[in-house]
Amino acid sequence: MHSGQKLLSYMTLLETSSPSPVGCIKEDLNGNRLSCIEAFEEVMRSYIHPRLAHIEGKSIEDLYAAFSRGDYETVFQIDRCLRTRTCPNEIDAEMRRTGRKLLKLSRSLYPWINFTPLSEALQAEKAFGCPAVCYAWINFQLEIEPSEAVPVYLYHYTTAYVEHCSRLLNLDDVSRRKLLMRMIDDISERWALVRNIGAPSFMSGTAYEESFIQKTL
């Protein structure tokens, strides 16, 4: 099967496994109840998209490199770092459920994939099972290049946040589509910046990454 067809089949699975993003946006940057599109866009541009592009996007690239070496210790280290740097304590359980649901559904769709290393690490609590790790694991096994896999991951979660906002604010279809286009353009620009600037790997150091994210705001 062509990689594009495999990626399409997998994204159909991903849609059913995570219909809403982990940690849905319910408040603006001031901690008030989300009440308008402008407040939502501010949160997306100031927090969600920098996190998705530089932390999760770069982590997927690093995971591919670790998979190709058979370096599962680095895989599990990235997983633990993702948990602490992208997941507030109050949504730990939600993120864990999302990752495990993704693996369970993937087993039924791709029974030939070897999930044993990740499954055993989860069972032994050596790994947490962040969605980005599960996503990268499956796409690597499907022989989908990271240059394809990362943008689709970013677009998927951006779309999920927009759909959640649309329901929360009762947006009409035209407003929802326009908002989605603006957000897709923004995450695309941010990922291009991360790639073009030659940002270091996800594991290269928290201080640099925090500085980099601030420069992208």
Side-chain angles (χ1 to χ4, degrees), residues 5-153:
Q5 293 175 309
K6 288 189 288 187
L7 188 54
L8 178 61
S9 296
Y10 179 70
M11 290 313 297
T12 300
L13 170 69
L14 190 59
E15 289 291 343
T16 63
S17 69
S18 53
S20 62
V22 174
C24 295
I25 299 172
K26 298 178 182 178
E27 298 179 345
D28 62 23
L29 291 180
N30 296 317
N32 300 317
R33 184 182 183 279
L34 192 70
S35 60
C36 63
I37 291 177
E38 291 77 13
F40 170 78
E41 290 194 51
E42 188 176 24
V43 176
M44 291 292 285
R45 296 177 191 276
S46 299
Y47 173 65
I48 300 297
H49 280 171
R51 186 202 75 198
L52 280 174
H54 190 67
I55 296 179
E56 297 189 52
K58 287 299 293 182
S59 76
I60 292 172
E61 288 194 328
D62 286 358
L63 286 161
Y64 263 77
F67 295 150
S68 66
R69 301 190 303 267
D71 182 2
Y72 294 118
E73 288 302 317
T74 295
V75 170
F76 304 144
Q77 185 181 2
I78 292 173
D79 181 53
R80 293 191 295 271
C81 286
L82 277 170
R83 177 193 179 185
T84 59
R85 295 169 63 183
T86 66
C87 178
N89 290 334
E90 61 268 22
I91 62 173
D92 260 9
E94 185 182 355
M95 178 172 277
R96 189 187 294 267
R97 281 195 302 270
T98 298
R100 280 160 175 71
K101 184 176 182 181
L102 184 56
L103 288 179
K104 182 178 180 180
L105 292 173
S106 298
R107 282 194 180 95
S108 65
L109 187 61
Y110 309 113
W112 50 267
I113 290 181
N114 177 20
F115 290 97
T116 300
L118 183 54
S119 297
E120 290 182 347
L122 292 173
Q123 184 68 28
E125 297 189 353
K126 188 175 182 180
F128 180 74
C130 290
V133 176
C134 301
Y135 175 87
W137 187 290
I138 295 161
N139 279 273
F140 179 81
Q141 299 289 341
L142 294 175
E143 299 180 342
I144 295 169
E145 293 295 321
S147 59
E148 291 182 83
V150 175
V152 171
Y153 179 90

Side-chain angles (χ1 to χ4, degrees), residues 125-180:
E125 297 189 353
K126 188 175 182 180
F128 180 74
C130 290
V133 176
C134 301
Y135 175 87
W137 187 290
I138 295 161
N139 279 273
F140 179 81
Q141 299 289 341
L142 294 175
E143 299 180 342
I144 295 169
E145 293 295 321
S147 59
E148 291 182 83
V150 175
V152 171
Y153 179 90
L154 301 178
Y155 299 157
H156 165 75
Y157 278 102
T158 293
T159 301
Y161 278 108
V162 169
E163 291 298 328
H164 167 74
C165 172
S166 178
R167 292 190 296 272
L168 188 67
L169 300 180
N170 296 315
L171 302 182
D172 60 71
D173 195 49
V174 173
S175 297
R176 179 189 60 80
R177 288 199 303 269
K178 289 182 177 179
L179 174 61
L180 179 59

